[in-house]
């Protein structure tokens, strides 16, 4: 019997990676049998929705290699990038049914459900796994994430402590405990847990980056920005040579004749927040180039201190140094401009303000811009989970509908905008967003408002950077940038925070918002009055 050639298997694997599952199955079905062929054939069956054939082969190979990585893990790596979630779930359920006492099957299915936001289902699957082995490391950590997702911090804390009693040298568990404690706003205890994780894995860039975010949340900025540089060691994070990174500049640094390239990093909110530091480099004499998404180009050009702004589809210009957006606070921390340019450092285009004025309500009522949801990003599980916690269902904002002399203007984009099809009774939302092209248009709308009310999104940063009053409706496990235990912001003096008192509970937040609007108790404006 001939052995399948490496060329045939490599071709089949390439087809699987490209999502051509039926073609890969045709190639593999004519190959002589063997473990490698069988595993790849199982993946091909899964992609073709041949659930039971895939499960049978995966279970047979898993049984033959009980100490190895379960082959269904590789199936997930092949199916999920092609959005074959339903097929993957069906196969995992069939695998779990065939091998119910293999706890790895509970972990895989529970993790998939957790990533898709189906937390209660994930918790039930993982509970079955823990009934087989109560101190199982992976299962226990996944269950703790379920508890965190549901705001059950005490239960997650107790479970992770129990796991650590049995696995005291698990850096992953110490790190998850630190993450839970930081989300629970117990930052001192979180830093202690980070310390124990780092003592076990001091050179793990992901652990160091998580530690950095907790330091930043506590306000220990210099330490946090130093630690955050570890992110450059994660795969794909630093696209340009590390030797060219902008160093920490001295107070008397003279950058005349030198060029600095600011490279795109993070989301729109990150870049809008960090643009405050770009004029500082220009004031020191640098020629500044900025790489950013097209939607920000108009705003950046209008700053007047950038030689050239371009997107990442174009090659960067020649430069002496490069600096990712989120490394700017560290590079400038010793300089006179360590806090960046004061608000407002971004401005709307006057012609656009005039163009968009007719789209806004008239009269003396309070013009309130409203954003209730973020970018959901279902392809990035961690971001998708965070977005579920930070976003408010539009129906939860129903009390705004009954407020006199308050005119609501939607600034909402993306999938959450569809909630306007079923608005709360009596709510009227002016909605100009269908014609908005970029952040320049959005800035022009904001310039005509009295206040922006937003969950933690880029719009809050845009309004903050423009000096418009902002009321931030914030989740309990808030982002590091809003610090811990504060209702104001060192980034934006014109921003006030209304934070959840309990995870997932928005009722009290909305009540406090209505009280502020009714009393006209708005944050101070750093701009001139609206036109």
């Amino acid at each position: 019997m001939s052995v399948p050639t490496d060329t045939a298997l490599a071709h089949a694997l390439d087809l699987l990676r490209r999502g051509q599952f039926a073609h890969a199955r045709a190639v593999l079905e004519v190959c002589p049998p063997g473990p490698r062929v069988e595993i790849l054939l199982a993946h091909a069956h899964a992609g073709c929705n041949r659930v039971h054939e895939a499960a049978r082969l995966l279970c047979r190979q898993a049984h033959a290699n009980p100490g190895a990585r379960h082959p269904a893990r590789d199936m997930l790596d092949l199916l999920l990038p092609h959005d074959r979630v339903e097929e993957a779930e069906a196969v995992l359920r069939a695998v779990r049914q065939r091998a119910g006492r293999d706890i790895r099957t509970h972990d895989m299915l529970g993790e998939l459900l957790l990533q898709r936001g189906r937390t209660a289902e994930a918790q039930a699957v993982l509970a079955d796994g823990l009934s087989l082995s109560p101190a199982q490391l992976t299962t226990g950590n996944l269950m703790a994430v379920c508890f965190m997702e549901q705001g059950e911090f005490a239960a997650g804390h107790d479970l992770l402590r129990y796991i650590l009693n049995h696995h005291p040298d698990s850096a992953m568990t110490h790190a998850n405990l630190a993450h839970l404690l930081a989300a629970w706003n117990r930052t001192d205890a979180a830093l202690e847990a980070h310390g124990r994780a780092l003592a076990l894995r001091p050179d793990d860039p992901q652990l160091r980056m998580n530690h950095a975010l907790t330091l930043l949340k506590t306000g220990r900025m210099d330490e946090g920005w130093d630690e955050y540089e570890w992110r450059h060691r994660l795969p794909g994070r630093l696209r340009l040579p590390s030797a060219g990174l902008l160093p920490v500049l001295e107070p008397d640094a003279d950058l005349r004749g030198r060029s600095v390239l600011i490279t795109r990093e993070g989301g729109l909110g990150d870049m809008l927040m960090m643009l405050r530091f770009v004029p500082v480099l220009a004031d020191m004499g640098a020629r500044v180039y900025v790489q950013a998404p097209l939607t920000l180009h108009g705003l950046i050009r209008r700053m007047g201190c950038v030689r050239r702004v371009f997107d990442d589809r174009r090659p960067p210009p020649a430069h002496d140094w490069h600096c990712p957006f989120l490394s700017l606070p560290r590079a400038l921390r010793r300089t006179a401009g360590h806090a960046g340019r004061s608000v407002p450092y971004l401005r709307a285009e006057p012609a656009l303000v005039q163009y968009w004025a007719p789209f806004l309500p008239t009269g003396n009522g309070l013009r309130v811009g409203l954003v209730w949801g973020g970018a959901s990003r279902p392809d990035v599980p961690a971001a998708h989970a965070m977005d579920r916690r930070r976003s408010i269902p539009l129906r939860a904002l129903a009390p705004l509908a009954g407020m006199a002399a308050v005119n609501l203007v939607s600034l909402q984009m993306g999938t959450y905008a569809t909630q306007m099809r079923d608005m709360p009774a009596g709510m009227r939302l002016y909605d100009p967003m269908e014609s908005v092209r970029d952040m320049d248009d959005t800035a022009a709308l904001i310039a005509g408002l009295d206040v922006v009310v937003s969950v933690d999104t880029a719009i809050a940063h845009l309004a903050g950077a423009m000096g418009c009053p902002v009321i931030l409706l914030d989740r309990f496990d808030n982002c590091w940038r809003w610090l811990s235990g504060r209702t104001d912001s060192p980034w934006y003096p014109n921003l006030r925070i209304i934070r959840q008192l309990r995870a997932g509970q928005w009722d009290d937040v909305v009540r406090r918002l209505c009280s502020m609007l009714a009393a006209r108790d708005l944050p101070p404006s750093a701009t001139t009055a609206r036109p």
Side-chain angles (χ1 to χ4, degrees):
M1 180 180 292
S2 62
V3 176
T5 65
D6 290 340
T7 302
L9 292 177
H11 178 50
L13 181 56
D14 180 61
L15 290 169
L16 291 169
R17 287 172 175 162
R18 287 189 279 142
Q20 298 181 20
F21 298 103
H23 193 174
R25 194 183 86 219
V27 171
L28 291 162
E29 283 178 336
V30 299
C31 288
R36 292 174 63 200
V37 172
E38 192 162 282
I39 289 173
L40 292 180
L41 185 57
H43 302 335
H45 282 319
C48 295
N49 205 25
R50 295 167 64 113
V51 173
H52 296 292
E53 293 94 328
R56 179 178 60 82
L57 296 178
L58 290 170
C59 286
R60 187 158 71 186
Q61 288 301 317
H63 181 74
N65 301 280
R69 170 184 165 99
H70 198 290
R73 284 277 179 196
D74 297 319
M75 176 201 72
L76 294 174
D77 292 342
L78 291 167
L79 266 62
L80 296 185
H82 299 285
D83 202 27
R84 309 298 280 271
V85 179
E86 291 182 3
E87 293 92 333
E89 181 183 340
V91 172
L92 286 182
R93 288 190 182 279
V95 166
R96 179 170 171 249
Q97 188 173 18
R98 281 176 171 267
R101 297 197 65 81
D102 185 342
I103 201 167
R104 295 175 297 174
T105 67
H106 296 76
D107 293 346
M108 290 184 291
L109 179 58
E111 186 174 4
L112 180 66
L113 293 169
L114 186 57
Q115 290 174 350
R116 308 314 296 179
R118 293 156 61 185
T119 310
E121 293 177 70
Q123 187 168 337
V125 170
L126 294 167
D128 285 346
L130 288 176
S131 70
L132 300 173
S133 178
Q136 209 281 335
L137 191 60
T138 303
T139 318
N141 275 270
L142 287 169
M143 180 64 93
V145 175
C146 284
F147 286 135
M148 281 190 281
E149 279 289 294
Q150 297 178 94
E152 298 177 19
F153 296 105
H157 174 268
D158 291 347
L159 176 57
L160 290 174
R161 287 290 189 193
Y162 176 77
I163 298 295
L164 284 169
N165 286 338
H166 293 81
H167 305 278
D169 294 330
S170 169
M172 171 184 68
T173 308
H174 285 293
N176 281 336
L177 179 60
H179 178 67
L180 181 146
L181 289 164
W184 205 3
N185 295 312
R186 301 188 176 190
T187 49
D188 289 342
L191 289 172
E192 291 178 10
H194 278 302
R196 290 189 288 272
L198 290 173
L200 293 162
R201 293 212 310 249
D203 296 324
D204 186 317
Q206 186 64 58
L207 298 189
R208 299 296 292 261
M209 192 171 81
N210 293 342
H211 179 220
L213 297 180
T214 303
L215 287 168
L216 292 170
K217 187 171 182 176
T218 64
R220 293 164 63 174
M221 293 296 176
D222 283 354
E223 295 172 78
W225 291 124
D226 275 342
E227 189 81 338
Y228 197 55
E229 291 298 288
W230 277 83
R231 73 193 187 282
H232 298 320
R233 304 193 189 191
L234 292 168
R237 286 301 292 262
L238 192 63
R239 299 184 181 91
L240 296 172
S242 59
L245 277 169
L246 182 68
V248 176
L249 299 172
E250 296 301 325
D252 59 350
D254 184 352
L255 302 184
R256 286 177 292 183
R258 312 300 293 273
S259 57
V260 179
L261 168 66
I262 310 302
T263 55
R264 175 176 180 167
E265 184 179 25
L268 294 177
D270 295 302
M271 290 178 277
L272 288 165
M273 186 173 75
M274 293 295 143
L275 281 170
R276 73 187 65 233
F277 295 104
V278 173
V280 178
L281 290 170
D283 290 346
M284 297 170 73
R287 296 189 303 272
V288 182
Y289 308 110
V290 175
Q291 181 189 63
L294 283 169
T295 190
L296 299 181
H297 284 200
L299 287 163
I300 295 172
R301 289 193 187 98
R302 206 154 39 254
M303 294 180 75
C305 59
V306 175
R307 293 291 184 96
R308 180 181 163 198
V309 58
F310 61 99
D311 62 27
D312 49 11
R313 295 175 297 180
R314 298 179 180 273
H319 53 275
D320 296 300
W321 289 301
H322 64 89
C323 184
F325 265 104
L326 289 164
S327 288
L328 285 169
R330 177 179 182 269
L332 294 170
R333 71 184 188 196
R334 296 176 186 164
T335 71
H338 61 86
R341 182 64 57 84
S342 298
V343 169
Y345 55 87
L346 296 178
R347 292 172 174 81
E349 167 60 52
L352 285 176
V353 175
Q354 186 175 7
Y355 171 83
W356 284 103
F359 290 81
L360 296 173
T362 57
N364 296 322
L366 199 66
R367 296 179 183 176
V368 180
L370 192 61
V371 184
W372 58 91
S376 58
R377 299 175 66 189
D379 56 321
V380 183
H384 189 48
M386 180 274 292
D387 185 62
R388 290 194 299 271
R389 298 194 301 275
R390 70 172 170 176
S391 298
I392 303 176
L394 182 58
R395 64 179 179 273
L397 294 167
L400 293 174
M403 297 196 67
V406 171
N407 297 309
L408 301 176
V409 180
S410 172
L411 299 176
Q412 183 65 55
M413 297 285 279
T415 56
Y416 287 96
T418 61
Q419 294 180 9
M420 285 188 288
R421 298 171 188 165
D422 186 25
M423 283 197 292
M427 178 176 283
R428 182 182 179 188
L429 266 172
Y430 293 84
D431 182 21
M433 298 305 288
E434 185 177 357
S435 301
V436 164
R437 301 162 300 174
D438 55 21
M439 282 289 190
D440 232 6
D441 286 338
T442 306
L445 286 168
I446 289 171
L449 301 173
D450 295 297
V451 62
V452 169
V453 174
S454 176
V455 294
D456 185 4
T457 68
I459 300 301
H461 290 279
L462 175 59
M466 293 172 59
C468 176
V470 184
I471 299 175
L472 181 74
L473 310 181
D474 204 13
R475 67 187 194 269
F476 178 85
D477 57 320
N478 62 288
C479 174
W480 63 267
R481 71 194 74 236
W482 308 121
L483 301 173
S484 183
R486 291 181 61 159
T487 59
D488 64 340
S489 167
W491 302 101
Y492 308 111
N494 48 309
L495 182 145
R496 292 294 176 268
I497 301 167
I498 307 178
R499 184 164 293 134
Q500 288 179 340
L501 300 177
R502 294 183 59 192
Q505 301 298 312
W506 290 109
D507 290 353
D508 179 70
V509 171
V510 176
R511 278 195 296 270
R512 284 182 280 161
L513 168 65
C514 290
S515 296
M516 287 182 69
L517 294 178
R520 300 297 192 264
D521 181 19
L522 304 182
S525 173
T527 64
T528 56
R530 78 184 191 204

